[in-house]
Amino acid sequence: MTVVHTGPAFSIQDIPFSHRGAWFSISPVVAAHTHAPDLHLVSHQTGMHPVLRLTPAADAVVTATAALVTWRHHTGSIELTYDGPDTVRLRGRGLGLRIAAARATLTPFSGTYLHDDPVTGTYVFTSYETGRRYRITPLTGDLRAIGAQALGTAERAVLLPADQPWEIAVEEYQTARRPYPADRDFDQLVGLMAADFAGFVDALAPWRSPETPGTELAAYVLWSATVAPAGFLTRPAVLMSKHWMNKVWSWDHCFNALALADADAELAWHQFHLPFDHQDPTGALPDSVAHSEILYNYVKPPVHGWALRQLRRRLSRPLSADALSDVYQRLARWTGFWLDHRRVPGHHLPYYQHGNDSGWDNATTFDGDRVIETPDLAALLILQLHQLADLAAELHRPEVATQWRRTATDIRAELLGKLWDGQRFVARSARDGQARPSTSLLDLMPIVLGADLPTDVSAALAGGLKRHLTAHGLATEPVDSPHYVADGYWRGPIWAPATILIEDGLRRAGHAGLADEVSQRFRALCEKSGFAENFDAETGAGLRDRAYTWTASSYLLLAAAHERRRHP
């Protein structure tokens, strides 16, 4: 049917099919760690909700590219593409399709209702879970429905025939809209979607080469996970995934901002600011922001000073004076939260209240105590204080810049004086000062200070990192540790953010050879296993959510830097 190049192919079992700006995707993943036999239209408004089940009339093989999903059977095929961010088009030849409500039961407060629209000749599903409507407009072929206007438990479905060609549009919208235009050509829509994605890739990765074969798929993960402003996300946002990790967490967003900076300065700037739009009165950032939910029960680590310095180097245009002042105020308030609300009186070091605050939720660092002063937190805050000092100087506030630097010096002295045991860093109880050593990679994260570390400390950290380095990258717990768990979240698997922060710190500390090794192994891992939330440190298998944007962004950052080192 379609002959245009439609972008990189991928497994729809791992990566959902979607369009930049769309709030719904096409995927068999219908809940956390849950695959359905059929593809579903899954909406991410008000949560993650499978709304419509798409079942071909015969067992079919599904293939997906950046612009087209195809079901193939020896009797015929079905194709699906997007017409902009809120509509999909489907057509079939020799293969029928059933589009059914994913939930069979309709109650006064849940489920999906189906009715026929006597004005437009369409069928409309209305979903309590998403608060949206899903209109099916027939363009060619006969269409019939089962269960229209039915209440309670009933099958509600629209049926497309196998014995004649058919074509339909499915739209997600709020209350009412004009009839869908019947003159839009399917193949042209495929071409438009493919061109939109191709333009994004060209802007994002003009440096790509055969040595970076994962680039286009990484770009697709980012492009397809982007949503238009809606709900609490009042800027265009790159969700962490259009699977169940369909939020913006308050450190994940930094890595997406960095990956986008060269290609789209405005979109990158939006990514950086998303959590800052919801700072509370103490200056704290939320743990996460989603379409209809903001969580403040935890925070995330202060990577934002490090990220802002990196971001400004990458942005394709300089910041205006107003933008500079605004980001300074936001970063100062966030830093003030740690200094004013997360330090024991008389202590210079800040503390976490739980592993979730660190982003390393269940790392072994937190086994002996949860409320602890950790070396990673101190190191990241030092970087953030130095960034604030530089911003204050740029804004002609030298006295304030001096205060930020003095605070950074005090924390650095405490980090080296209280948390360095002569061989590695340890955490310390915020209540009684008791040392809490562990074998977690988290305790080696002060390498992010780079050249600001004493030479002997830097060398010891580099040596310690080698124990964590497997054939695939940096394990968060050494594989020979008694605490290692292959799918243990932060107790073994390889993660993208730790890789990026450590690789950067190693380079700034003068350990370029080890940084090259970390980069090469992680890039090879992504090229083999995709862009999962995390990876088995021994086998390299992707774990958990298999379409995670900060992993894709991290690959792009490392791949771009690798290419630039090859061709300076």
Side-chain angles (χ1 to χ4, degrees), residues 439 467-468 477-484 538:
T439 51
R467 184 186 172 197
H468 291 261
E477 187 73 19
V479 296
D480 60 357
S481 165
H483 307 294
Y484 174 83
E538 295 178 285

Side-chain angles (χ1 to χ4, degrees), residues 370-435:
R370 305 282 187 269
V371 183
I372 50 176
E373 298 166 351
T374 64
D376 72 295
L377 176 53
L380 291 170
L381 197 57
I382 290 166
L383 292 177
Q384 191 150 295
L385 287 159
H386 282 304
Q387 175 64 10
L388 281 168
D390 290 348
L391 291 172
E394 200 170 344
L395 292 166
H396 308 293
R397 301 178 65 183
E399 298 85 359
V400 179
T402 298
Q403 291 172 5
W404 291 125
R405 289 195 176 94
R406 184 180 298 120
T407 303
T409 298
D410 292 341
I411 294 175
R412 180 183 182 277
E414 196 89 345
L415 169 66
L416 294 170
K418 298 291 180 65
L419 301 187
W420 178 250
D421 70 2
Q423 295 183 316
R424 66 179 288 145
F425 285 102
V426 298
R428 184 176 70 169
S429 169
R431 291 164 295 192
D432 60 20
Q434 182 177 348

Side-chain angles (χ1 to χ4, degrees), residues 8-36:
F10 57 90
S11 168
I12 204 166
Q13 297 294 317
D14 294 337
I15 299 173
F17 179 74
S18 194
H19 192 290
R20 176 165 56 176
W23 274 96
F24 70 89
S25 55
I26 305 300
S27 174
V29 179
V30 294
H33 310 290
T34 304
H35 282 71

Side-chain angles (χ1 to χ4, degrees), residues 256-504:
N256 290 340
L258 293 177
L260 291 165
D262 287 335
D264 191 331
E266 184 177 7
L267 183 59
W269 198 236
H270 282 315
Q271 300 323 295
F272 183 80
H273 278 284
L274 278 164
F276 286 95
D277 291 341
H278 302 283
Q279 274 185 291
D280 80 357
T282 71
L285 298 182
D287 181 51
S288 63
V289 184
H291 176 274
S292 303
E293 172 191 89
I294 307 174
L295 299 181
Y296 290 96
N297 52 326
Y298 296 108
V299 292
K300 285 292 173 278
V303 299
H304 304 83
W306 169 86
L308 181 59
R309 187 179 298 277
Q310 299 271 342
L311 184 59
R312 292 190 68 191
R313 291 171 180 163
R314 287 176 164 84
L315 286 173
S316 54
R317 63 168 184 260
L319 298 181
S320 67
D322 286 345
L324 195 66
S325 177
D326 179 56
V327 76
Y328 170 78
Q329 294 297 332
R330 289 180 162 206
L331 195 65
R333 292 179 58 220
W334 173 221
T335 306
F337 163 78
W338 290 101
L339 299 177
D340 299 338
H341 301 282
R342 287 295 185 90
R343 293 199 294 182
V344 174
H347 289 210
H348 290 295
L349 295 173
Y351 64 86
Y352 292 130
Q353 294 177 343
H354 186 280
N356 288 3
D357 283 342
S358 74
W360 294 55
D361 307 0
N362 65 336
T364 56
T365 300
F366 300 95
D367 281 0
D369 201 341
R370 305 282 187 269
V371 183
I372 50 176
E373 298 166 351
T374 64
D376 72 295
L377 176 53
L380 291 170
L381 197 57
I382 290 166
L383 292 177
Q384 191 150 295
L385 287 159
H386 282 304
Q387 175 64 10
L388 281 168
D390 290 348
L391 291 172
E394 200 170 344
L395 292 166
H396 308 293
R397 301 178 65 183
E399 298 85 359
V400 179
T402 298
Q403 291 172 5
W404 291 125
R405 289 195 176 94
R406 184 180 298 120
T407 303
T409 298
D410 292 341
I411 294 175
R412 180 183 182 277
E414 196 89 345
L415 169 66
L416 294 170
K418 298 291 180 65
L419 301 187
W420 178 250
D421 70 2
Q423 295 183 316
R424 66 179 288 145
F425 285 102
V426 298
R428 184 176 70 169
S429 169
R431 291 164 295 192
D432 60 20
Q434 182 177 348
R436 298 293 186 185
S438 82
T439 51
S440 174
L441 184 65
L442 186 62
D443 293 356
L444 299 170
M445 289 305 294
I447 194 67
V448 299
L449 290 172
D452 195 33
L453 287 169
T455 303
D456 61 326
V457 174
S458 170
L461 291 177
L465 288 167
K466 292 176 183 177
R467 184 186 172 197
H468 291 261
L469 191 59
T470 74
H472 305 290
L474 290 164
T476 44
E477 187 73 19
V479 296
D480 60 357
S481 165
H483 307 294
Y484 174 83
V485 181
D487 186 8
Y489 224 49
W490 293 92
R491 302 175 74 89
I494 296 166
W495 286 79
T499 300
I500 289 292
L501 288 163
I502 289 171
E503 192 267 356
D504 173 65

Side-chain angles (χ1 to χ4, degrees), residues 515-534:
D516 287 343
E517 195 64 33
V518 168
S519 171
Q520 188 278 326
R521 294 187 191 193
F522 186 79
R523 285 183 283 113
L525 173 65
C526 292
E527 289 158 7
K528 169 191 172 186
S529 300
F531 305 102
E533 185 181 357
N534 53 74

